[in-house]
Amino acid sequence: METRRPARQLHPAAACELTSRGRRHPEPAHAYRSAFQRDRDRVLHSSAFRRLVYKTQVFINHEGDLYRTRLTHSLEVAQVARTVAASLGIDEVLTEAICLAHDLGHTPFGHAGQDALDHCMKRWGGFEHNLQSLRVVDELEERYAQFPGLNLTYETREGILKHCSKRHARGLGDLGERFLRRRQPGLEAQLANIADEIAWSHHDLDDGLRAGLITVEELAEVRLFRDHDRPARGGRARLSRRVRIHAAVRAMLDHVVTDLIGASRARLERSSPASIEAVRAQARPLIGLSPPVAAAHQQLKVFLRQHLYRHERVLARNRRAQALLQALFECFMNDVRAMPREHADRALAWERDQGENGRARAVADYIAGMTDRYAAAAYRRLVDPGLDW
Ligand code: MG
């Protein structure tokens, strides 16, 4: 019979509404929702969140209905992270809010799209999808009369900004400080970060197998798979390939998540931070895998890089996606009126204020917000009606 473990007490270093560094624009408390619940709900209701359903994780949406998209990726990250948060006694709702928001700034066509846009923006400050996620919640979502963006709490914004170049960190005030001083964010942010890696490595493996780009035989070199494939079959010699893959991936995920909980708990006990500020003052993260499981997980990620992300079929598709985004970027830079009115007006206004930088940033914001199919439709309309995507 399934039995539920009793809920643990909240850890003293968990994020807490009472010690929150607050919102950029102060707001009165809600009658029955906590600040972090409101953050999560604002992310969920944002238009950037809905667009994630048509943004590539690894496989383009039309390549098959069963592959992960940015949306299902974000939900799987939240699922992994919430399990761990509940077990460690850190704030589950804040963790969920960060996970759901972490990829809001992703371009169409996955990492290929991000690299293409970064390349296009080289002369104008570059493009970082992580920074863009923050930009979406801070500036680009238009939902409130009183302020731009979603006005999320500091803790959620801190979690969204996982990486940041020093150059950009200098312009971010409080939020950028930890990248300059090499300090850590709160526990919920640390957890969302590692849950992202655990979720994508396992679901991309599953999708890669489904697509036939990697094989079970090749996976024999991956320790995590080798260790879990046979026991997961439970002594059954004749299992369908599908059940075998699901059983192995599920056992791997369970093993890695269980290790994450155990190793993080041990670190928390050793360093016993008394508050979120004590966590932020540390040089190294407290939430993370044990060294042996981290090494095994790293081996899985390297395998995926070599066999899946650099598979000729994926690379060929990425090259097309990059050429497509580059053509769109040039098209809008040459004629901002080729964008919808509000984006064109913004580009012209920012150009008046900031010169060409402003125009380029408005174009990058517009392109980054596109879904895969919206980008393909724009390309057909403006560049080549014969595009067969
Ligand atoms: Mg992610």
Side-chain angles (χ1 to χ4, degrees):
M1 203 179 87
E2 290 193 10
T3 49
R4 248 185 78 119
R5 298 196 176 195
R8 288 175 181 277
Q9 268 198 323
L10 220 54
H11 193 283
C16 167
E17 208 179 357
L18 297 173
T19 59
S20 168
R21 292 191 185 176
R23 303 183 189 278
R24 294 206 293 176
H25 307 273
E27 292 180 53
H30 191 272
Y32 49 84
R33 287 184 302 158
S34 74
F36 300 142
Q37 275 179 306
R38 291 170 89 185
D39 280 6
R40 189 234 2 236
D41 299 349
R42 286 175 188 194
V43 169
L44 197 74
H45 289 287
S46 69
S47 60
F49 184 72
R50 285 194 297 282
R51 275 181 264 141
L52 295 179
V53 71
Y54 291 117
K55 291 199 184 206
T56 293
Q57 174 62 26
V58 173
F59 297 89
I60 292 185
N61 192 266
H62 67 247
E63 290 181 307
D65 290 346
L66 290 175
Y67 297 122
R68 269 71 172 190
T69 66
R70 279 286 150 197
L71 180 69
T72 59
H73 160 68
S74 302
L75 295 173
E76 289 185 38
V77 175
Q79 183 274 324
V80 167
R82 285 181 57 183
T83 302
V84 179
S87 179
L88 293 176
I90 64 181
D91 196 285
E92 197 177 330
V93 179
L94 170 61
T95 303
E96 184 183 15
I98 296 169
C99 293
L100 295 181
H102 86 283
D103 270 350
L104 288 181
H106 241 289
T107 61
F109 307 120
H111 281 280
Q114 126 92 29
D115 292 347
L117 203 50
D118 187 37
H119 179 75
C120 293
M121 287 294 288
K122 237 185 186 78
R123 283 162 53 200
W124 303 289
F127 179 89
E128 294 176 26
H129 74 262
N130 227 244
L131 204 55
Q132 190 71 8
S133 294
L134 185 68
R135 198 167 155 73
V136 166
V137 301
D138 278 357
E139 309 283 342
L140 299 179
E141 279 287 322
E142 295 176 311
R143 307 187 80 81
Y144 294 87
Q146 304 87 336
F147 42 75
L150 303 177
N151 197 31
L152 303 181
T153 61
Y154 181 92
E155 287 70 20
T156 302
R157 297 170 60 236
E158 170 186 50
I160 292 173
L161 194 65
K162 286 193 293 193
H163 324 280
C164 181
S165 60
K166 285 199 166 166
R167 184 165 54 93
H168 285 132
R170 283 187 202 101
L172 288 170
D174 260 18
L175 211 57
E177 218 175 278
R178 84 164 195 266
F179 300 99
L180 303 173
R181 296 177 50 227
R182 294 181 178 278
R183 290 291 176 265
Q184 294 300 314
L187 297 172
E188 291 78 3
Q190 294 180 23
L191 171 55
N193 192 9
I194 178 78
D196 183 20
E197 297 199 3
I198 293 172
W200 67 246
S201 57
H202 287 80
H203 66 48
D204 286 358
L205 173 67
D206 184 47
D207 278 354
L209 285 163
R210 184 191 298 279
L213 299 187
I214 46 186
T215 63
V216 169
E217 290 69 34
E218 287 172 330
L219 271 168
E221 67 178 79
V222 176
R223 202 167 354 129
L224 268 177
F225 186 83
R226 212 171 47 226
D227 289 352
H228 292 94
D229 176 37
R230 192 184 295 270
R233 279 186 270 169
R236 289 186 183 82
R238 291 156 65 84
L239 269 188
S240 76
R241 183 174 176 275
R242 175 157 302 165
V243 172
R244 178 182 172 187
I245 292 168
H246 280 312
V249 174
R250 188 168 56 242
M252 288 165 64
L253 186 58
D254 188 57
H255 172 73
V256 173
V257 170
T258 303
D259 179 81
L260 176 62
I261 293 170
S264 302
R265 182 172 294 140
R267 276 190 214 105
L268 280 169
E269 277 165 14
R270 260 199 315 275
S271 94
S272 59
S275 68
I276 188 169
E277 293 306 334
V279 172
R280 286 177 175 140
Q282 308 231 353
R284 297 181 63 78
L286 294 168
I287 306 295
L289 299 168
S290 68
V293 174
H297 187 231
Q298 181 61 23
Q299 194 209 7
L300 168 63
K301 292 193 290 183
V302 170
F303 173 89
L304 290 171
R305 205 173 305 141
Q306 286 166 348
H307 292 80
L308 181 60
Y309 310 135
R310 292 200 194 132
H311 191 286
E312 191 39 47
R313 235 175 79 194
V314 173
L315 289 179
R317 206 241 4 247
N318 286 353
R319 283 192 289 272
R320 291 185 74 193
Q322 287 175 331
L324 186 155
L325 286 196
Q326 190 149 353
L328 284 181
F329 186 85
E330 282 162 18
C331 183
F332 298 136
M333 275 306 275
N334 290 334
D335 176 15
V336 293
R337 289 287 171 207
M339 297 190 288
R341 177 105 183 254
E342 51 165 318
H343 294 278
D345 289 349
R346 184 181 288 170
L348 294 170
W350 288 359
E351 187 167 21
R352 275 194 296 279
D353 288 351
Q354 310 155 37
E356 206 177 43
N357 271 355
R359 171 199 287 243
R361 189 55 59 190
V363 169
D365 282 345
Y366 177 49
I367 292 180
M370 291 179 176
T371 60
D372 296 357
R373 60 181 190 170
Y374 186 99
Y379 184 87
R380 264 185 226 110
R381 197 174 64 247
L382 297 163
V383 185
D384 176 8
L387 177 77
D388 59 351
W389 270 8

